[in-house]
């Protein structure tokens, strides 16, 4: 009988005995599993972990050290210390020191479609420079086509013949002009104003017989010094570019880097040339207009810069300006501020709705407590340039003595703007037959003095801002997205340009309704014309059919409470009543009392534009935002107030009118009357107050003035971007530096 074996013998025989020396399989430390029920990390949860914030704290600490050293130095020289531990200084000395440190070394730049306003933050007013640059070319812009306003001539078998002024711009323009003129007459008669029955005939009869008087150059006290290009400079920027003769040798062509609030992709071949021209215009303006001794990159490094950008900006535009300011110019610090916020700073308003009527774009935006309300931003593509074009067409229609006016000819463009600014008015008592004169100054020609009569052409172009379908919008979308594509998010691939529900609502109203599919069209029925089969769940409901036919979603309990301020627009133009005025929309959102004012303002009731309008981000570049100005204001305030009666009253009570095109006499009063008519049924008509900038400040420079105020806030402004941060973080630094969500 075999005896029982021990455990060691069994392990040895079976090969299970351990023969190593108890060493671990790896020298790496063993990490115990994390307790999933209770753990905490502070990654990216403290300000010290962000480079932008950390450098800002370092600067504050260095400033404290410097102040302490200055205090000790002052005490050593016999200075006195007050109760707070600071050295006593006169208030005038403190203000002067702050002004020198913050204002004299800060350049404020406000680029626009037609003008660049630039100056030091310590300056009282900025310098206004045309946002244009002239470069050598084969031919000037005047020689490229038929000119503006087109057509200039019509070609017949016998040759080129001047068209009849009444038929030059077509029957459609003539019909619109006559209808607008008759509507103005009706309104003037309702206001008990005298209207002569033969006013237009008097104007046409005088202008047909008018001739000009020649004035020799040595007798003209206001002759123009034209730019000499005999040395053939590579480029000429600013005011000097507009003074280059059209037929100069060599030829120079004007380039406008910004058009209609967008970068001008139509007339440029590369992005680099486009932004290079913007930089050259700024450099030339700093040297010639501001008279600053800046020659090298070290000189630029001594200055800070505040750049005013649109409220409804594009990310690529902002990032290119940042790269231009830091990499190309070499400025010490750069910060950005939005136009509406800058306008509120310049005017001293805390809560306001800013209506900025510029040269080629009009923006509406609400500001509350120093912050732009994002969903209230509206950007429309018309402005003072369209008013000038309409003004020239109307005076030519009435046999203007200088019928050869061409807005692509440089001295004619300057003349048209001068006449518009001098004679435009919306004050109805001032609209009558008037006799005026003007001087035509052209290169290498004697000055001509013309006399002409004018009637309602002084008012109708500016009134067209409230009915922009009368403007000529041809070519405004040409070249859009030809060079610069949309900005997309790196992670989810979605477009990350700023959005606004107010702008989305306007764009949605401008899109024509899509055709209804055949399967969803109603079939005839003997009772009501529709087949109603409630048992078939696959059949669309009556509400759904109406939604597809109208092209707009029907309201429901789950839909957004934001409603349209104006009716849908067909084929890009708003529907109008028989007398031509815009139809009032559904303004029940503004009506005080009832269920509309008890609207729930929780976030899930206000979806993002991506959820509300699926087409919005996809087709926003294919839709030209042309909308009546008064209705755009109501739409902006609707989305800013979000159903709050108190906030709605505050915004209507503080409408701020700025921009060059807003300087027309009577513009504010007419806007008040128009808004009161739209809001007659809502209860807010008495709250409408359109204000001008205080202290008789020029509406053109209010926005720049606010940027200057922002640039002097050296102790509270945390938006500065330095080359150190830009070198390490790139455009990502804007997410930590801007005052709004980037």
């Amino acid at each position: 009988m075999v005896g029982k074996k021990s455990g060691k013998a069994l392990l040895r025989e079976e090969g299970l005995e351990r023969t190593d020396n108890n060493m671990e399989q790896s020298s790496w430390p063993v990490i115990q599993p994390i307790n999933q029920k209770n753990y905490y990390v502070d990654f990216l949860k403290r300000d010290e972990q962000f480079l932008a914030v950390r450098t800002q704290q370092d600067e504050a600490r260095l400033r404290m050290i410097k102040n302490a050293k200055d205090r000790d130095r002052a005490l050593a020289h016999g200075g006195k210390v007050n109760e707070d531990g600071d050295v006593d200084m006169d208030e005038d000395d403190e203000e002067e020191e702050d002004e020198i440190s913050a204002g004299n070394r800060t350049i404020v730049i406000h680029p626009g479609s037609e003008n660049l306003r630039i100056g030091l933050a310590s300056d009282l007013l900025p310098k206004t420079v045309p946002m244009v640059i002239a470069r050598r070319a084969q031919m000037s812009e005047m020689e490229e086509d038929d000119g503006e306003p087109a057509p200039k001539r019509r070609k017949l078998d016998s040759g080129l013949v001047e068209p009849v002024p009444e038929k030059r711009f077509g029957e459609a323009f003539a019909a619109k002009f006559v209808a607008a003129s008759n509507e103005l007459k009706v309104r003037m008669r309702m206001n008990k104003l005298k209207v002569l029955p033969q006013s237009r005939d008097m104007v046409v009869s005088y202008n047909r017989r008018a001739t000009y008087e020649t004035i020799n150059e040595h007798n003209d006290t206001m002759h123009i010094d034209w730019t000499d290009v005999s040395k053939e400079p590579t480029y000429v920027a600013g005011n000097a570019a507009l003074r280059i003769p059209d037929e100069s040798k060599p030829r120079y062509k004007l380039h406008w880097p910004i058009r209609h609030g967008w970068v001008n992709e139509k007339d440029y071949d590369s992005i680099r040339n486009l932004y290079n021209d913007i930089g050259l215009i700024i450099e030339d303006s700093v040297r010639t207009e501001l008279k600053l001794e800046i020659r090298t990159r070290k000189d630029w490094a001594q200055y800070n810069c505040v750049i005013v950008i649109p409220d409804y900006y594009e990310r690529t535009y902002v990032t290119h300006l940042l790269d231009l300011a830091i990499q190309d110019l070499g400025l010490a610090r750069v910060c950005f501020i939005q136009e509406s916020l800058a306008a509120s700073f310049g005017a001293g308003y805390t809560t306001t709705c800013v209506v900025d009527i510029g040269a080629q774009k009009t923006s509406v935006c609400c500001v509350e407590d120093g912050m732009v309300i994002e969903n209230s931003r509206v950007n429309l593509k018309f402005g003072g340039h369209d008013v000038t074009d309409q003004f020239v067409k109307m005076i030519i229609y009435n046999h203007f003595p200088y019928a050869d006016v061409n807005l692509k000819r440089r001295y004619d463009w300057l003349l048209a703007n001068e006449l518009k600014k001098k004679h435009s008015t919306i004050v109805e008592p001032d609209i009558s037959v008037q006799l005026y004169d003007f001087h035509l100054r052209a290169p290498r020609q004697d000055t001509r003095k013309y006399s002409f009569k004018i009637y309602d052409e002084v008012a109708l172009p500016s009134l067209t801002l409230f009915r922009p379908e009368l403007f000529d919008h041809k070519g405004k979308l040409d070249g859009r997205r030809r060079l610069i594509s949309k900005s997309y998010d790196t992670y989810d691939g979605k477009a990350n340009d700023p959005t606004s529900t107010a702008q989305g609502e306007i764009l949605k109203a401008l899109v024509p309704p899509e055709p209804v599919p055949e399967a969803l069209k109603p079939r005839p029925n003997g009772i009501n014309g529709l087949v109603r089969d409630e048992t078939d769940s696959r059949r669309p409901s009556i509400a759904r059919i109406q939604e597809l036919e109208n092209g707009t979603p029907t309201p429901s309990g789950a839909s957004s409470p934001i409603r349209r301020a104006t009716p849908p627009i067909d084929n890009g133009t708003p529907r109008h009543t028989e007398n031509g005025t815009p139809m009032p929309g559904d303004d029940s959102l503004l009506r005080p009392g009832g269920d509309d004012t008890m609207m729930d303002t929780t976030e899930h009731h206000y979806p993002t534009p991506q959820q509300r309008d699926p087409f919005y981000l996809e087709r926003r570049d294919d839709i030209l935002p042309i909308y009546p100005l008064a209705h755009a204001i109501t739409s902006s305030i609707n989305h800013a107030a979000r159903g709050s009666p108190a906030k709605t009253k505050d915004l209507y009570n503080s409408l701020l009118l700025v921009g060059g095109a807003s300087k027309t006499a009577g513009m504010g009063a007419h806007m008040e009357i128009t808004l009161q008519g739209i809001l007659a049924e809502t209860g807010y008509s008495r709250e409408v107050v359109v204000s001008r900038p205080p202290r008789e400040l020029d509406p053109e420079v209010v926005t720049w003035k606010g940027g200057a105020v922002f640039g002097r806030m050296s102790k509270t402004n945390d938006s500065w971007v330095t080359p150190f941060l830009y070198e390490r973080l790139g455009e990502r630094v804007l997410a930590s530096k801007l005052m709004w969500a980037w």
Side-chain angles (χ1 to χ4, degrees):
M1 182 176 180
V2 181
K4 185 178 180 180
K5 295 183 178 179
S6 63
K8 291 184 179 181
L10 290 174
L11 291 175
R12 186 171 52 254
E13 292 179 0
E14 298 294 335
L16 300 177
E17 184 179 6
R18 182 171 181 174
T19 58
D20 58 3
N21 54 0
N22 294 327
M23 293 183 63
E24 298 290 342
Q25 294 182 354
S26 173
S27 61
W28 288 91
V30 178
I31 300 177
Q32 299 298 327
I34 297 177
N35 184 359
Q36 298 290 334
K37 295 182 179 180
N38 185 16
Y39 72 96
Y40 174 81
V41 293
D42 59 355
F43 179 67
L44 296 183
K45 291 184 178 180
R46 292 182 297 170
D47 292 341
E48 293 79 5
Q49 296 172 340
F50 292 89
L51 179 61
V53 180
R54 190 165 63 249
T55 54
Q56 180 180 329
Q57 294 176 349
D58 293 342
E59 292 177 0
R61 184 167 56 255
L62 293 176
R63 192 181 304 113
M64 291 176 58
I65 295 174
K66 179 180 178 299
N67 293 337
K69 291 181 178 179
D70 293 341
R71 183 185 59 184
D72 295 340
R73 189 179 299 108
L75 289 175
H77 289 80
K80 297 181 180 179
V81 180
N82 55 25
E83 297 178 356
D84 298 331
D86 298 329
V87 180
D88 289 334
M89 296 178 61
D90 295 338
E91 293 184 0
D92 296 338
D93 296 339
E94 292 181 355
E95 293 179 359
E96 183 179 357
E97 184 180 356
D98 293 340
E99 187 73 16
I100 293 175
S101 60
N104 292 345
R105 292 294 178 180
T106 301
I107 303 174
V108 183
I109 301 174
H110 181 201
S113 300
E114 239 175 51
N115 293 309
L116 167 71
R117 290 180 175 84
I118 186 171
L120 294 175
S122 57
D123 292 343
L124 182 62
L125 294 174
K127 303 293 184 180
T128 300
V129 183
M131 193 70 183
V132 63
I133 187 171
R135 291 186 177 275
R136 280 181 289 181
Q138 296 295 329
M139 59 181 65
S140 64
E141 64 278 1
M142 181 196 70
E143 302 170 329
E144 289 184 341
D145 52 23
D146 200 25
E148 292 180 2
K152 301 294 292 181
R153 298 175 177 87
R154 55 179 181 176
K155 190 174 183 181
L156 300 178
D157 296 337
S158 58
L160 295 177
V161 179
E162 292 289 344
V164 180
E166 290 86 349
K167 299 180 180 180
R168 176 172 168 179
F169 305 112
E171 297 180 358
F173 173 80
K176 292 178 181 179
F177 184 18
V178 173
S181 180
N182 293 335
E183 183 183 344
L184 179 61
K185 290 180 181 178
V186 172
R187 190 164 63 247
M188 292 177 65
R189 289 193 179 101
M190 292 177 59
N191 294 332
K192 309 299 181 182
L193 297 175
K194 185 178 180 180
V195 179
L196 296 178
Q198 304 296 331
S199 298
R200 189 170 303 282
D201 295 337
M202 295 170 56
V203 171
V204 173
S205 176
Y206 181 88
N207 290 340
R208 280 177 174 174
R209 295 180 285 107
T211 58
Y212 61 86
E213 175 187 352
T214 303
I215 302 176
N216 296 328
E217 183 178 354
H218 62 274
N219 291 329
D220 186 7
T221 58
M222 300 182 65
H223 70 277
I224 298 175
D225 295 329
W226 301 97
T227 304
D228 183 15
V229 292
S230 58
K231 296 182 180 180
E232 301 185 5
T234 305
Y235 69 91
V236 180
N239 289 297
L242 294 179
R243 296 302 184 186
I244 299 177
D246 295 273
E247 298 179 354
S248 63
K249 294 181 180 180
R251 291 286 195 273
Y252 279 80
K253 181 181 178 181
L254 299 183
H255 297 270
W256 303 83
I258 301 177
R259 297 272 83 180
H260 310 294
W262 293 321
V263 289
N264 186 5
E265 302 175 71
K266 175 184 176 182
D267 300 331
Y268 282 87
D269 297 329
S270 66
I271 306 175
R272 183 177 181 84
N273 293 338
L274 194 157
Y275 283 99
N276 184 44
D277 281 359
I278 296 178
L280 290 176
I281 295 173
I282 294 174
E283 286 189 55
D284 186 81
S285 302
V286 168
R287 295 190 178 97
T288 59
E289 300 294 336
L290 302 186
K291 308 297 183 182
L292 297 181
E293 296 294 334
I294 297 180
R295 295 184 176 86
T296 63
R297 192 176 181 87
K298 292 183 179 180
D299 297 332
W300 282 103
Q302 299 176 9
Y303 290 88
N304 307 324
C305 183
V306 177
I307 303 178
V308 183
I309 61 174
D311 310 307
Y312 200 65
Y313 59 88
E314 294 182 352
R315 290 172 65 103
T316 54
Y317 174 70
V318 179
T319 54
H320 275 95
L321 288 181
L322 178 62
D323 184 79
L324 171 68
I326 292 183
Q327 296 289 354
D328 297 345
L329 299 180
L331 291 162
R333 296 189 301 175
V334 180
C335 69
F336 296 93
I337 184 173
Q338 293 170 294
E339 288 179 343
S340 294
L341 182 59
S344 67
F345 281 8
Y349 283 54
T350 56
T351 299
T352 180
C353 179
V354 180
V355 182
D356 187 354
I357 309 176
Q360 296 185 6
K361 75 171 179 64
T362 298
S363 61
V364 184
C365 183
C366 297
V367 179
E368 183 181 20
D369 296 335
M371 292 294 294
V372 170
I373 302 177
E374 296 182 352
N375 285 332
S376 69
R377 295 175 293 184
V378 173
N379 194 300
L380 308 175
K381 300 305 178 183
F382 58 83
H385 183 82
D386 299 273
V387 174
T388 304
D389 182 75
Q390 193 81 348
F391 175 76
V392 171
K393 287 183 178 180
M394 289 182 178
I395 60 177
I396 291 177
Y397 182 91
N398 285 343
H399 293 260
F400 189 59
Y402 179 49
D404 195 36
V405 59
N406 182 1
L407 293 182
K408 284 197 171 183
R409 192 183 294 134
R410 292 157 197 171
Y411 58 86
D412 283 353
W413 184 81
L414 294 173
L415 173 64
N417 277 279
E418 179 185 354
L419 292 177
K420 181 199 69 172
K421 294 178 180 178
K422 186 176 181 180
H423 303 305
S424 292
T425 180
I426 314 183
V427 181
E428 293 180 354
D430 296 340
I431 301 175
S432 61
V433 178
Q434 299 286 344
L435 176 62
Y436 297 109
D437 55 51
F438 67 91
H439 295 77
L440 176 63
R441 298 178 174 89
R444 295 184 292 273
Q445 296 181 13
D446 291 335
T447 302
R448 298 179 182 180
K449 181 181 179 180
Y450 287 86
S451 297
F452 70 103
K453 282 189 176 182
I454 196 170
Y455 178 44
D456 54 4
E457 302 95 315
V458 298
L460 294 180
S462 298
L463 291 175
T464 310
L465 292 170
F466 300 89
R467 295 176 58 188
E469 72 278 1
L470 301 180
F471 288 138
D472 183 12
H473 306 291
K474 182 180 179 181
K476 290 186 177 181
L477 281 177
D478 292 349
R480 180 68 173 152
R481 296 301 182 190
R482 188 173 66 89
L483 298 177
I484 303 175
S485 60
K486 296 179 182 178
S487 176
Y488 292 96
D489 191 87
T490 306
Y491 298 98
D492 55 15
K494 296 181 180 179
N496 56 7
D497 278 333
T499 57
S500 168
T501 54
Q503 183 81 358
E505 178 181 345
I506 290 176
L507 294 181
K508 189 173 182 179
L510 293 171
V511 176
E514 298 180 358
V516 182
E518 293 291 337
L520 298 181
K521 287 185 177 180
R523 288 178 287 180
N525 192 353
I527 303 176
N528 54 6
L530 292 175
V531 177
R532 304 188 64 175
D533 186 2
E534 303 295 340
T535 60
D536 189 359
S537 60
R538 296 170 297 178
R539 189 179 305 280
S541 62
I542 302 298
R544 177 58 178 165
I545 294 175
Q546 293 176 351
E547 173 184 340
L548 292 172
E549 287 180 340
N550 298 332
T552 56
T554 55
S556 63
S559 63
S560 172
I562 300 177
R563 300 182 183 176
R564 226 186 287 273
T566 53
I569 294 181
D570 299 329
N571 298 326
T573 58
R575 297 186 299 184
H576 293 80
T577 57
E578 294 180 357
N579 61 357
T581 57
M583 295 175 58
D586 182 11
D587 298 318
S588 58
L589 176 63
L590 299 177
R591 189 176 297 113
D595 296 334
D596 290 329
T597 58
M598 300 301 293
M599 188 190 333
D600 185 6
T601 58
T602 54
E603 191 64 28
H604 66 275
H605 281 282
Y606 288 85
T608 61
Q610 296 92 327
Q611 299 171 344
R612 180 178 173 83
D613 301 317
F615 77 96
Y616 174 62
L617 293 178
E618 300 176 3
R619 299 187 56 185
R620 59 185 291 184
D621 295 320
D622 302 330
I623 306 170
L624 187 64
I626 302 299
Y627 211 62
L629 179 57
H631 290 286
I633 295 173
T634 59
S635 178
S636 175
I637 293 179
N638 288 352
H639 289 264
R642 297 166 67 96
S644 171
K647 187 181 294 186
T648 303
K649 291 180 181 179
D650 291 341
L651 292 175
Y652 276 118
N653 198 31
S654 58
L655 291 169
L656 179 61
L657 190 59
V658 298
S662 69
K663 297 171 64 176
T664 304
M667 177 66 73
H670 182 78
M671 184 176 292
E672 281 188 7
I673 295 173
T674 306
L675 288 173
Q676 288 170 358
I678 295 175
L679 302 173
E681 298 180 358
T682 64
Y684 292 112
S685 59
R686 297 182 179 180
E687 307 295 336
V688 178
V689 176
V690 179
S691 304
R692 289 284 184 173
R695 300 180 298 277
E696 297 182 357
L697 190 62
D698 190 349
E700 289 184 347
V701 303
V702 172
T703 303
W704 179 92
K705 195 68 176 178
V709 173
F710 184 69
R712 291 197 299 266
M713 298 168 58
S714 58
K715 296 182 179 180
T716 58
N717 187 357
D718 300 333
S719 302
W720 296 107
V721 178
T722 62
F724 172 79
L725 292 175
Y726 185 73
E727 179 184 357
R728 285 157 177 76
L729 300 178
E731 63 184 60
R732 294 176 297 168
V733 70
L734 294 176
S736 302
K737 286 297 183 178
L738 296 181
M739 296 188 298
W740 62 91
W742 174 254

